[in-house]
Amino acid sequence: MPGSATPDVVVVGAGMVGAACAEALSGAGVRVLVIDRDGPAGRTTASGEGNVLVSDKKPGPELELALASRSEWDAVLSRLPERVADVEWEDKGGVVVATTDPGPLKEFAAKQQAAGVDARVISPAEVFELEPLLTPRVTIGVHYPDDAQVQPVLAATALLAAVRDRGGEVRSGVQVFGVRQSRGRVVGVETSVGDVACGAVLNACGPWAGEFGAAAGAPIQVLPRRGMILVTAPLPECVRHKVYDADYVGAVGSGDADLQTSTVIESTRAGTVLIGSSRERIGFDDSVRVRVLRELARKAVGLFPFLGDVPVMRAYGGFRPYAPDHLPVIGPDPRLLGLWHATGHEGAGIGLAPSTGRLITELFLGLTPHLDPTPFRVDRPAVTAA
Ligand SMILES: Cc1cc2nc3c(=O)[nH]c(=O)nc-3n(C[C@H](O)[C@H](O)[C@H](O)COP(=O)(O)OP(=O)(O)OC[C@H]3O[C@@H](n4cnc5c(N)ncnc54)[C@H](O)[C@@H]3O)c2cc1C
């Protein structure tokens, strides 16, 4: 494959996670080549609703990563080249509501507050001030001012533009089949257009990261978890925050293979309202199923009754990259020197990408990491057990 100097790192996958890692690495002076078999940000990243959330994470390593990443977003946005800097970032905040017993949501918010999250318990009257069109059945709400939203495809492609500006390369339509090794370490990648020499390889293949790990001789457990979204026609302002039902947190954390749906709703700058979301482990089956959409629509109308009368424009789905313990996989692979992974972010890869990129860069350069990488290490049993 033609190219200039040998890259220090080949990043396989130009989704949000690969783009954020490449941007952080190139910002630190590392020569990167990003390769994707499709176009940039064309797969899971194109399915993401773009929520950058701290609200849906229980105290623990993922919340710590989310809090760090929320700050890192500000740094990343400030580094974007001016021509691509508008990535539809909105500091809109999140509102989580319960329509039944308020107790569990209150308890969850109290635990998050103790972990450093700005979580403000509010009365139904205060909820309606924030979201006047919600169902009157709301019994309590929690306002999360730090939740935000971004357009994932714009964000990933802007990060890749920054990589190119620094002399990095981005190749589309090139499949990486595996890695070349010499004396127990990675020395290159094998691609559909020939071999490429490099110092290291970063597996950022999203839901296909398990396949790529296996092809590289270092299998990891990353599986697809299907999600579907309904999209309304553009509407006048109607949903101001990211709004979801308290049962969403349970669905996110569940490992159940069966269909789970919980209401999560936000509007986009274009005026469309995104109605999510479902979670199902059905492999790479990409059919859009009526029974899932019916369930999403029914629950959405339960939360925002006006949605029962708005036109739906389309529905789509994607595959969240899922590790069995619901934690991302970030770091070097101890089984093969020079192989790295940044994947398994499940339904939070857009929000968590900036801190992931920073962590990969710190570990790669031997710097002190900005947060404890141990919970995300590659050789934990949930990820590398056969
Ligand atoms: C319905 C839905 C809603 C979501 N909503 C949100 C949200 O609101 N907020 C949030 O934070 N997250 C959300 N997510 C999750 C988020 O979209 C993912 O976590 C994130 O996009 C993962 O990014 P990635 O770069 O790891 O994977 P991807 O975007 O899938 O990128 C991986 C890339 O690797 C490439 N690739 C794979 N194998 C190879 C190979 N062998 N050679 C070359 N290229 C290869 C693929 O073509 C692909 O482009 C949602 C996901 C879904 C499905």
Side-chain angles (χ1 to χ4, degrees):
M1 185 157 67
S4 42
T6 302
D8 299 315
V9 180
V10 167
V11 177
V12 187
M16 185 67 204
V17 172
C21 292
E23 192 276 335
L25 284 164
S26 68
V30 178
R31 277 195 310 273
V32 294
L33 165 61
V34 184
I35 302 181
D36 200 295
R37 61 186 174 195
D38 294 328
R43 303 305 296 244
T44 319
T45 294
S47 309
E49 294 149 276
N51 296 305
V52 177
L53 302 185
V54 293
S55 56
D56 64 340
K57 294 170 184 71
K58 63 178 194 283
E62 197 192 14
L63 177 60
E64 278 159 36
L65 185 63
L67 287 167
S69 210
R70 179 64 184 81
S71 310
E72 198 59 23
W73 262 107
D74 294 336
V76 164
L77 291 171
S78 72
R79 292 200 298 262
L80 291 179
E82 209 179 315
R83 69 185 187 286
V84 289
D86 182 3
V87 293
E88 298 190 7
W89 177 266
E90 288 183 76
D91 282 311
K92 57 164 57 172
V95 176
V96 185
V97 296
T99 50
T100 53
D101 177 10
L105 180 56
K106 247 184 179 168
E107 278 166 35
F108 185 72
K111 286 185 190 149
Q112 285 182 314
Q113 282 162 358
V117 176
D118 187 355
R120 305 175 186 181
V121 176
I122 53 177
S123 67
E126 291 168 315
V127 171
F128 296 126
E129 267 173 42
L130 296 176
E131 289 293 341
L133 299 179
L134 270 167
T135 170
R137 292 186 300 111
V138 166
T139 53
I140 195 171
V142 183
H143 181 208
Y144 291 89
D146 289 335
D147 280 354
Q149 190 172 327
V150 71
Q151 212 290 347
V153 174
L154 290 180
T157 50
L159 289 165
L160 293 172
V163 170
R164 283 198 199 90
D165 284 0
R166 296 180 193 135
E169 283 187 74
V170 182
R171 300 285 174 91
S172 299
V174 176
Q175 170 125 9
V176 182
F177 296 126
V179 301
R180 282 177 43 223
Q181 300 179 34
S182 175
R183 297 181 185 168
R185 68 156 302 138
V186 168
V187 293
V189 285
E190 295 161 355
T191 83
S192 50
V193 293
D195 292 352
V196 182
C198 61
V201 173
L202 176 65
N203 172 9
C205 292
W208 300 275
E211 283 172 18
F212 185 76
I220 52 171
Q221 288 275 335
V222 174
L223 307 161
R225 200 175 181 200
R226 179 82 168 141
M228 283 183 220
I229 306 288
L230 266 172
V231 186
T232 73
L235 305 173
E237 190 190 60
C238 49
V239 181
R240 299 170 182 171
H241 302 79
K242 185 231 158 51
V243 181
Y244 62 92
D245 197 317
D247 69 1
Y248 177 75
V249 176
V252 171
S254 159
D256 237 340
D258 292 342
L259 172 66
Q260 303 194 15
T261 57
S262 51
T263 318
V264 38
I265 297 173
E266 63 271 317
S267 57
T268 65
R269 198 190 285 177
T272 56
V273 173
L274 307 182
I275 299 175
S277 65
S278 61
R279 287 182 149 73
E280 215 175 351
R281 280 178 31 221
I282 49 170
F284 283 105
D285 175 352
D286 65 357
S287 51
V288 174
R289 290 168 198 268
V290 172
R291 76 183 163 88
V292 179
L293 301 181
R294 192 195 298 130
E295 192 70 2
L296 290 177
R298 185 180 65 76
K299 290 191 174 176
V301 171
L303 208 56
F304 280 107
F306 81 94
L307 287 174
D309 290 317
V310 306
V312 165
M313 194 166 68
R314 67 187 178 101
Y316 68 87
F319 301 104
R320 301 178 184 88
Y322 159 76
D325 59 2
H326 299 285
L327 287 177
V329 182
I330 306 169
D333 192 316
R335 296 165 296 182
L336 178 55
L337 207 59
L339 177 64
W340 294 68
H341 304 273
T343 183
H345 296 75
E346 202 171 333
I350 309 303
L352 300 179
S355 234
T356 300
R358 181 169 170 189
L359 194 52
I360 283 285
T361 304
E362 289 162 345
L363 295 173
F364 187 76
L365 296 176
L367 306 172
T368 306
H370 68 297
L371 83 168
D372 180 10
T374 318
F376 312 112
R377 73 186 192 279
V378 178
D379 63 347
R380 58 191 205 258
V383 173
T384 48

